[in-house]
Amino acid sequence: SNKMVTIAKAAAVAAALTILPHTSAKLADRGRFEAAKKQRQGGRRIVAQPRKTLPIEGPKYRATRNHNFKEHVSVAAPLYQTDTATTRTGGVRGATEKVVDSPEQFRRQLSSQLSGCCYNYQSYSAMDMCAMYGNDCESGEQPSHDSGDEDCSQAGLSFIGISLSVNTAMGNPYSFQLCDQFPMENLIDRNYDYVMSMDEDGWLVGGGYKSFDYSGKMPYIDSSHTELLRIGSLDPEYGGTSIEQVYDAMDSLSFPPFAVFPEYVKGGGGGGSGDGDNSVPSSDITLIVSVVDSYTDYASYSTYDDFLDNLFDAMDAVGGGACMDDHDTDPHVSMSRGVKFKSLTHQQKYFFQVNLEVAVWQSMYPKGVVIGSKGYASFPPESKSANKMYVGYGNLYFFFDRANITKAFLPNRDLTDKELGYATIYSSGNAGTYYEETTTIDFDYNKGSGSNDNSDQEYYEHNPYGWNARMAKHDMTDGWDLPPGCEQEGETFLGIPLSQYSDSKLQGTRSFQDQFDFETLLDRNFTYIQKFGTNHGWLVGEEVDNGAGSIVDKDTAHIPLFYTGTLNPDMGGIDLKDLIKVMETIDFGELYIKPAFVFQDDDGSIKLQFEADASSALGYLYNSLCSMLGITWNYESPYNSLGLYSNCAMHAAGDRAKYGCG
């Protein structure tokens, strides 16, 4: 069996550490490895199949492995053992019998698990192991996504924009209250009435997530915003613009408060790689807004157009880098990504409900409204009370990343009485009449590009019985397809933490190991990597002043072993205290892990693969978790002495380490 650690991005495969999320890369030439391989193989060069055509499980997978690698990899453990007794559980929980599988029975069971085989290799090289698993560790094999602009060699995510962040009772208590006008929490489905699952970040608006949320989402603060200008990279050495340059340019400008008008909420676009051809389609959810054009006497251009012209001139004057966008961003608010609804009917009901809310806002603010709050906040967030300021109305903000505002820029005047009256309708408790009188939607919200939009879409409905064990290998930029009886997604898992202490003031990190220094595996100076595919950068700890503007995540290095799913028992999951009780009944030995190779998977993640023996303590632990907490599947039911179970685990009760660890 094998284990991996994701170094960048957050997709999980059995026993892998993800180092980096979706990336675009230009890899250096490492032909010396090819020469060494030819010498070891007597001049023969084994040509691997393209990664996308390689099967990941089943008979074709095993046939490929035996054919391509039997000659040059020493195999120690046989594919099956005839002297191993296995426990099978009948229809009544707890009724078991000991049977011994024949080789033919074992093969039949193995093929039904939809998982890769496990081998125990006594002697191998990292390159051989990488090729054996069908991954690409060769140099120059990954396609380049370089735009061709030699002046910008590092893409970035920093920007200037307007914040719509709110602080709510159900959200993260540290979220800013910067928007009293739009109750963004009314646009999200926190109770999973319509949505089945989302990407690992969940809802980006509506208050953020508390720690230990049932969904298992990271406890990020609300990062709701509409971007006005993408600054991009903050490293001048790679074509970026420094923070000081941005501040100087913005401080030189004078701008009035800009009003924002809510247009509609739409689906479509985006979406991750999915869980298969038969899975529910996924898409992004976006609130479309517009900056209201206002004109001074005898002016031919709006005040917003004038501001944009002056902003570009100011950025040029301070020596802004080539990575900055050449035009303003179409105003919108990204609400969630990789969203999977329970069915097309649920999708349509959701979009009707949230667009009816937008219709209320439109009736409340017929000519738009200036965004702001009568509260106080500190920028940057870790400064706490040191930089505490009155928020006010009409501010623009510099976002180092979407979750980290470092400075507010104030408009050149206060609101007029009329503007202030509109800006305080909701916060003053005067919105009730608008909700009572608005019962229809007078605008078309079935808009957008792409086949996944919420218009003219073929009917679909989630089939929980289409679930299979290979879904434990999941692209975290997409939602999960849930098993039968599970009504809510969950990112919670049991695994081996590999994080180390971080001195980041934004995110604290404990040290769980001192055996591996993952820093040697990272490309912080962008020698090979051009950009990250998500808002996250290096998942083994991101730098506070990273030039790409990636979210400053703490070190979350880990090897996921068993995905338990949601911890909400009312939605089919297992309660956290019950999960702990079951874990305490498992007596497993010391867990040994062995690094094998680093590679980029089909989802674009860079991962460190670990090798593990299926008959080791780690394999025993996985077997025990499946038999005690796995879902009932393929005539196999879980059993534990406490009678505590879950319908939301992403592993079957009959799955075993010898089948490929999920």
Side-chain angles (χ1 to χ4, degrees):
S1 83
N2 63 84
K3 296 286 159 224
M4 286 187 286
V5 179
T6 307
I7 303 180
K9 190 199 124 179
V13 180
L17 167 66
T18 305
I19 303 176
L20 183 70
H22 292 63
T23 58
S24 297
K26 295 182 295 183
L27 299 181
D29 181 15
R30 299 174 65 187
R32 60 186 183 279
F33 284 105
E34 285 298 314
K37 285 177 61 179
K38 289 180 180 180
Q39 184 177 6
R40 287 198 309 272
Q41 298 161 5
R44 294 183 300 110
R45 186 175 188 274
I46 297 178
V47 180
Q49 300 180 41
R51 289 189 306 137
K52 292 185 180 296
T53 64
L54 280 172
I56 64 171
E57 41 74 22
K60 292 183 179 179
Y61 173 90
R62 293 187 292 279
T64 303
R65 303 279 70 74
N66 290 340
H67 174 74
N68 288 345
F69 306 103
K70 184 176 180 180
E71 296 182 6
H72 68 286
V73 181
S74 300
V75 180
L79 187 59
Y80 56 83
Q81 298 177 354
T82 57
D83 59 348
T84 301
T86 60
T87 302
R88 292 182 180 173
T89 307
V92 180
R93 219 167 241 166
T96 61
E97 60 174 329
K98 295 287 184 179
V99 296
V100 177
D101 289 342
S102 67
E104 183 60 31
Q105 288 173 325
F106 180 83
R107 290 193 186 95
R108 194 175 296 118
Q109 270 198 316
L110 186 64
S111 65
S112 72
Q113 296 300 314
L114 296 176
S115 303
C117 299
C118 277
Y119 298 85
N120 179 18
Y121 290 88
Q122 301 288 351
S123 176
Y124 62 87
S125 71
M127 298 299 288
D128 288 338
M129 286 289 287
C130 183
M132 184 198 68
Y133 281 101
N135 295 314
D136 181 10
C137 296
E138 304 290 342
S139 62
E141 296 298 322
Q142 296 297 332
S144 171
H145 296 279
D146 189 351
S147 65
D149 184 352
E150 296 181 359
D151 294 329
C152 180
S153 56
Q154 179 191 66
L157 300 172
S158 299
F159 60 92
I160 295 168
I162 299 172
S163 176
L164 282 75
S165 173
V166 295
N167 185 292
T168 65
M170 297 297 293
N172 191 304
Y174 297 104
S175 292
F176 292 119
Q177 180 62 39
L178 303 179
C179 175
D180 291 347
Q181 294 68 43
F182 300 145
M184 298 296 291
E185 64 272 23
N186 292 351
L187 299 185
I188 68 175
D189 181 22
R190 200 181 287 273
N191 294 328
Y192 289 85
D193 294 326
Y194 310 103
V195 169
M196 177 175 67
S197 59
M198 298 166 282
D199 76 351
E200 62 169 353
D201 289 332
W203 294 108
L204 304 174
V205 305
Y209 285 92
K210 290 181 176 179
S211 296
F212 296 102
D213 186 86
Y214 281 141
S215 66
K217 305 296 184 185
M218 290 287 286
Y220 290 125
I221 62 174
D222 187 331
S223 59
S224 177
H225 67 268
T226 181
E227 183 177 306
L228 301 182
L229 176 64
R230 175 70 63 89
I231 301 298
S233 172
L234 297 176
D235 193 335
E237 293 186 6
Y238 297 95
T241 306
S242 70
I243 293 179
E244 291 76 16
Q245 289 174 312
V246 176
Y247 288 177
D248 289 343
M250 287 297 296
D251 286 338
S252 70
L253 299 177
S254 175
F255 59 90
F258 297 120
V260 174
F261 184 79
E263 300 282 357
Y264 55 91
V265 176
K266 78 177 192 73
S273 62
D275 289 320
D277 295 336
N278 298 321
S279 66
V280 171
S282 64
S283 65
D284 297 347
I285 298 179
T286 307
L287 168 65
I288 302 300
V289 299
S290 58
V291 178
V292 178
D293 286 328
S294 60
Y295 296 82
T296 58
D297 292 341
Y298 309 111
S300 299
Y301 296 94
S302 70
T303 54
Y304 182 59
D305 288 333
D306 282 339
F307 164 74
L308 291 176
D309 287 340
N310 294 334
L311 174 58
F312 281 109
D313 288 342
M315 294 298 295
D316 288 340
V318 298
C323 294
M324 184 181 70
D325 281 0
D326 297 324
H327 56 81
D328 61 302
T329 306
D330 292 334
H332 67 276
V333 181
S334 296
M335 296 173 52
S336 188
R337 302 187 178 102
V339 180
K340 293 188 176 185
F341 290 93
K342 297 177 181 179
S343 69
L344 181 61
T345 300
H346 287 85
Q347 174 182 321
Q348 293 171 338
K349 288 182 177 179
Y350 166 79
F351 281 109
F352 175 81
Q353 174 181 296
V354 296
N355 279 290
L356 183 60
E357 176 74 18
V358 174
V360 174
W361 298 353
Q362 290 185 0
S363 67
M364 208 180 305
Y365 317 118
K367 295 184 179 181
V369 64
V370 178
I371 303 301
S373 170
K374 57 186 177 182
Y376 291 81
S378 297
F379 308 109
E382 75 269 20
S383 64
K384 298 182 179 178
S385 60
N387 295 325
K388 198 167 189 178
M389 58 170 281
Y390 175 70
V391 174
Y393 302 88
N395 296 342
L396 301 181
Y397 299 94
F398 175 71
F399 292 76
F400 174 82
D401 58 59
R402 67 169 298 128
N404 185 12
I405 297 174
T406 61
K407 189 172 182 179
F409 301 96
L410 280 57
N412 56 18
R413 66 171 176 83
D414 294 332
L415 300 188
T416 64
D417 291 342
K418 186 176 182 180
E419 289 173 329
L420 185 61
Y422 278 111
T424 56
I425 289 177
Y426 192 87
S427 61
S428 300
N430 298 319
T433 302
Y434 297 95
Y435 280 94
E436 293 174 2
E437 296 179 351
T438 306
T439 58
T440 59
I441 302 173
D442 297 329
F443 54 86
D444 180 15
Y445 57 88
N446 291 316
K447 300 179 180 180
S449 60
S451 60
N452 285 337
D453 287 339
N454 44 314
S455 62
D456 301 327
Q457 190 171 350
E458 293 184 5
Y459 184 79
Y460 68 86
E461 184 173 0
H462 170 54
N463 175 19
Y465 296 97
W467 180 92
N468 61 62
R470 68 182 171 194
M471 290 181 179
K473 180 197 177 299
H474 178 69
D475 178 6
M476 291 299 182
T477 64
D478 217 1
W480 299 86
D481 275 29
L482 302 181
C486 183
E487 300 297 326
Q488 179 182 354
E489 65 172 334
E491 311 286 349
T492 307
F493 60 90
L494 296 165
I496 302 174
L498 298 175
S499 61
Q500 293 183 311
Y501 174 77
S502 168
D503 58 2
S504 168
K505 296 178 181 178
L506 296 177
Q507 296 275 6
T509 303
R510 292 179 56 190
S511 289
F512 285 93
Q513 58 88 18
D514 55 12
Q515 286 74 36
F516 302 107
D517 180 11
F518 297 125
E519 193 67 26
T520 60
L521 304 181
L522 310 187
D523 179 26
R524 294 202 187 275
N525 60 4
F526 284 76
T527 302
Y528 310 108
I529 293 172
Q530 183 190 34
K531 65 180 181 179
F532 301 121
T534 71
N535 288 299
H536 302 280
W538 296 106
L539 301 182
V540 294
E542 189 52 272
E543 294 178 325
V544 174
D545 295 322
N546 68 87
S550 300
I551 291 178
V552 185
D553 287 311
K554 63 181 180 181
D555 187 345
T556 58
H558 63 269
I559 297 178
L561 182 61
F562 185 93
Y563 281 94
T564 63
T566 181
L567 299 179
N568 187 351
D570 294 332
M571 301 292 277
I574 184 172
D575 190 273
L576 177 59
K577 65 177 184 301
D578 292 335
L579 176 62
I580 294 174
K581 289 179 182 178
V582 175
M583 284 300 298
E584 289 176 340
T585 66
I586 304 177
D587 184 15
F588 58 91
E590 293 182 342
L591 304 179
Y592 288 86
I593 55 177
K594 187 177 182 182
F597 55 86
V598 175
F599 72 104
Q600 185 175 26
D601 71 2
D602 290 332
D603 298 330
S605 300
I606 295 179
K607 296 181 176 179
L608 170 61
Q609 182 89 26
F610 282 77
E611 183 193 8
D613 188 345
S615 60
S616 66
L618 187 62
Y620 167 78
L621 175 58
Y622 179 78
N623 294 344
S624 300
L625 291 171
C626 290
S627 62
M628 298 172 72
L629 290 172
I631 65 169
T632 298
W633 194 258
N634 208 24
Y635 305 105
E636 298 277 1
S637 297
Y639 172 77
N640 60 71
S641 60
L642 300 176
L644 301 173
Y645 305 99
S646 172
N647 292 321
C648 295
M650 296 304 291
H651 307 265
D655 202 2
R656 295 294 181 268
K658 62 183 179 181
Y659 301 150
C661 303

